[in-house]
Amino acid sequence: MDLIIIEGGKKLNGTIDISGSKNASLPMMIASLLTKQTLELNNVPNLSDVETLKHLLRILGSEIVHNNRLVKIKTEKIIHTLAPYDLVRKMRASFWVLAPLIARFGSAEVSLPGGCAIGIRPINMYLKIMEKMNVSYAVENGYVKAKSKEGLRGSKITLDFQSVGCTHFFLMLAVLAKGDSSLENSACEPEVVALGRMLQKMGAKIEGLGTKRINITGVESLSGLSIQVPSDRIEAGTYAIALAMTGGQLKLNNINATEIDILIRALESTGVETYSSNNSISLERKNNPIHSTNIETAPYPGFPTDLQAQFMALMTLSNGVSRIKENIFENRFMHVQELARFGANIELEGDLAIVKGVKCLIAAPVMATDLRASASLIIAALAAKGTTSIRRIYHLDRGFEELEKKLNGCGADIKRIRDA
Ligand code: EPZ
């Protein structure tokens, strides 16, 4: 298994081009199943999650040409309607293929995604959406077996929680359902808006994207198109936090700064100076102390749970006490024990982490537990004294394109050792 070695204590200075968004690419690729025509996605990041999804789509009948960051998908015919455990367990988002398979084929069997390192992650709200839209289902042998005998019927649905995945799922079912549908308490994340806008351009009738109520009038069919995947706000946020930790000056290109506004404000309160322009942001930390800042994760436009671990790494070196509350997932603190190996002082009280800043972090061997937790270890290692080794970095490869190259280009010292 690959290993990452980081020589800490170097400031970051330079420019990073932010890649296309993983969490927008995945649902956009899945939505390609809704049409017989070709969907052309530009700016798709080269990540292992994208490879996993390509594999699954090919099994279902898609022809895919992937050239650099351009992915062309054509699914003239669905040839299989079963998404196997082996693929769905690797990546929870593959569960979402259930929606276009039902919409286009009328039935599907998709493995239960199961729990994962960050929480139980049940599927009760997905089942509710299906029920409301005239889809019968059984959960048997670890699979959701769904059928829509008389076709999808538009419906009024209210989510108990603003779930990103359930909003993607609803969009992909309702666009081809008979009649009108509405979703109350829908997620407003930019990735949901990206999927919705793409579906609109394919011919779907959708209103209310980016708000807590989405209305859809179903159409007969959707057409193909060519579209750009938006940039990855979580990748951008991760590098912004890294800069806040190491000091220096960083310019992040290809971003929409308003999408990480809440993070930028939190970083400013830690003492970082920021300058946003049209599609970039520059950040600078001088030699001032890192001021402790409290955060609380929440659905968009709140503080993203996908940046919580990274922000916690930053707070381990603050000049006070920071309170970090996780409101989205019940077990997203796996990084705490690994950060402690650097000498961080963090206490957990349920969904609250109390981080008491220490003077310095000391390098240590650590292990990644999930995708964003691994980013927090990278950030801690960049600022720690000495040489850190990080194991299980396949987590990192799921979501960060060319991370070593991008950080080394700004003065970091990161090496990957293959097959350690
Ligand atoms: C998406 O996951 C993202 N994944 C996650 O990013 C992100 O952390 C999450 O949204 C929240 O922003 C992708 O886009 C591929 P949810 P998703 O449904 O859709 C509960 C990363 O690191 N829930 O919004 O699965 C659920 O357990 C990943 O890139 C139910 O209770 O998240 C959670 O507590 C990790 N029942 C909450 O809702 C359900 O039926 C929000 O989860 C569905 C969800």
Side-chain angles (χ1 to χ4, degrees):
M1 237 179 271
D2 292 3
L3 189 74
I4 277 187
I5 306 286
I6 300 184
E7 200 61 51
K10 310 230 179 330
K11 289 189 174 177
L12 293 176
N13 281 295
T15 301
I16 294 178
D17 292 334
I18 298 303
S19 298
S21 160
K22 165 183 87 84
N23 287 350
S25 298
L26 299 176
M28 288 166 91
M29 287 171 71
I30 289 172
S32 70
L33 292 171
L34 290 167
T35 174
K36 286 181 179 168
Q37 297 179 10
T38 303
L39 181 73
E40 216 176 279
L41 295 173
N42 267 301
N43 200 32
V44 176
N46 288 309
L47 298 169
S48 61
D49 271 11
V50 168
E51 289 306 311
T52 304
L53 183 56
K54 275 166 51 190
H55 188 169
L56 174 59
L57 294 179
R58 282 192 173 117
I59 290 176
L60 301 177
S62 306
E63 283 168 30
I64 303 179
V65 181
H66 187 174
N67 198 345
N68 197 10
R69 293 189 175 86
L70 175 67
V71 178
K72 292 184 192 178
I73 311 173
K74 185 171 188 191
T75 318
E76 213 162 345
K77 235 176 153 185
I78 306 266
I79 55 171
H80 276 111
T81 54
L82 187 140
Y85 171 71
D86 254 5
L87 287 172
V88 182
R89 82 180 159 82
K90 277 195 191 160
M91 188 182 70
R92 191 178 167 85
S94 32
F95 180 72
W96 300 335
V97 297
L98 186 54
L101 288 179
I102 300 169
R104 181 115 172 248
F105 198 82
S107 69
E109 284 185 34
V110 175
S111 168
L112 285 168
C116 70
I118 61 175
I120 306 168
R121 303 179 84 180
I123 58 156
N124 56 318
M125 293 194 280
Y126 291 91
L127 298 180
K128 178 174 161 184
I129 294 173
M130 288 199 290
E131 215 168 273
K132 288 275 209 171
M133 298 188 77
N134 203 26
V135 180
S136 57
Y137 64 83
V139 182
E140 280 169 8
N141 312 108
Y143 280 76
V144 177
K145 302 176 180 178
K147 217 177 221 138
S148 167
K149 268 196 192 143
E150 289 135 30
L152 288 164
R153 189 180 56 216
S155 180
K156 289 185 177 163
I157 301 164
T158 302
L159 292 179
D160 304 332
F161 185 88
Q162 279 184 284
S163 156
V164 172
C166 291
T167 309
H168 288 321
F169 195 77
F170 167 80
L171 283 169
M172 289 190 266
L173 282 177
V175 288
L176 290 181
K178 236 193 193 111
D180 295 337
S181 297
S182 65
L183 188 70
E184 292 281 358
N185 211 21
S186 48
C188 305
E189 268 68 5
E191 295 76 21
V192 167
V193 176
L195 173 65
R197 291 218 175 112
M198 181 183 94
L199 291 168
Q200 282 173 330
K201 288 185 181 139
M202 291 166 77
K205 292 189 178 151
I206 307 173
E207 279 171 11
L209 289 171
T211 75
K212 284 167 92 173
R213 186 191 160 100
I214 295 178
N215 294 314
I216 298 182
T217 301
V219 295
E220 282 293 318
S221 64
L222 296 174
S223 54
L225 88 163
S226 174
I227 195 166
Q228 180 90 356
V229 171
S231 74
D232 197 315
R233 66 191 170 105
I234 303 301
E235 188 199 18
T238 299
Y239 292 130
I241 297 171
L243 174 278
M245 185 87 166
T246 61
Q249 248 183 323
L250 207 55
K251 185 175 183 210
L252 304 175
N253 282 336
N254 310 335
I255 73 158
N256 179 350
T258 56
E259 289 180 354
I260 50 166
D261 188 53
I262 195 152
L263 171 73
I264 294 170
R265 280 188 276 121
L267 290 179
E268 284 170 348
S269 80
T270 74
V272 172
E273 288 173 26
T274 69
Y275 323 88
S276 307
S277 68
N278 245 355
N279 69 343
S280 72
I281 183 166
S282 299
L283 305 110
E284 180 174 10
R285 163 157 326 264
K286 299 190 172 126
N287 286 326
N288 54 334
I290 298 171
H291 300 298
S292 57
T293 301
N294 300 333
I295 57 151
E296 180 164 344
T297 64
Y300 189 82
F303 195 97
T305 174
D306 289 348
L307 289 172
Q308 177 258 106
Q310 298 90 315
F311 198 82
M312 190 183 296
L314 171 63
M315 286 298 99
T316 61
L317 283 187
S318 86
N319 61 358
V321 178
S322 158
R323 296 164 73 82
I324 296 183
K325 192 154 179 289
E326 173 56 53
N327 292 319
I328 309 291
F329 293 107
E330 74 278 10
N331 188 27
R332 208 171 196 181
F333 282 141
M334 299 287 282
H335 42 285
V336 168
Q337 66 199 41
E338 296 304 303
L339 290 173
R341 296 172 64 82
F342 290 95
N345 181 349
I346 306 168
E347 278 169 31
L348 286 182
E349 286 177 12
D351 55 11
L352 181 70
I354 299 161
V355 189
K356 295 181 181 147
V358 294
K359 286 252 155 5
C360 71
L361 297 182
I362 309 286
V366 291
M367 200 165 71
T369 51
D370 68 74
L371 167 56
R372 309 306 173 184
S374 53
S376 80
L377 301 180
I378 296 275
I379 291 173
L382 288 172
K385 283 193 177 145
T387 311
T388 294
S389 58
I390 307 179
R391 285 184 164 69
R392 298 206 180 159
I393 53 157
Y394 51 85
H395 289 296
L396 203 65
D397 297 333
R398 293 186 55 190
F400 290 92
E401 189 183 45
E402 297 183 332
L403 176 124
E404 299 105 281
K405 191 173 157 199
K406 288 181 180 183
L407 286 171
N408 283 336
C410 296
D413 184 348
I414 308 185
K415 276 197 294 283
R416 179 180 292 239
I417 298 177
R418 303 260 170 208
D419 290 318

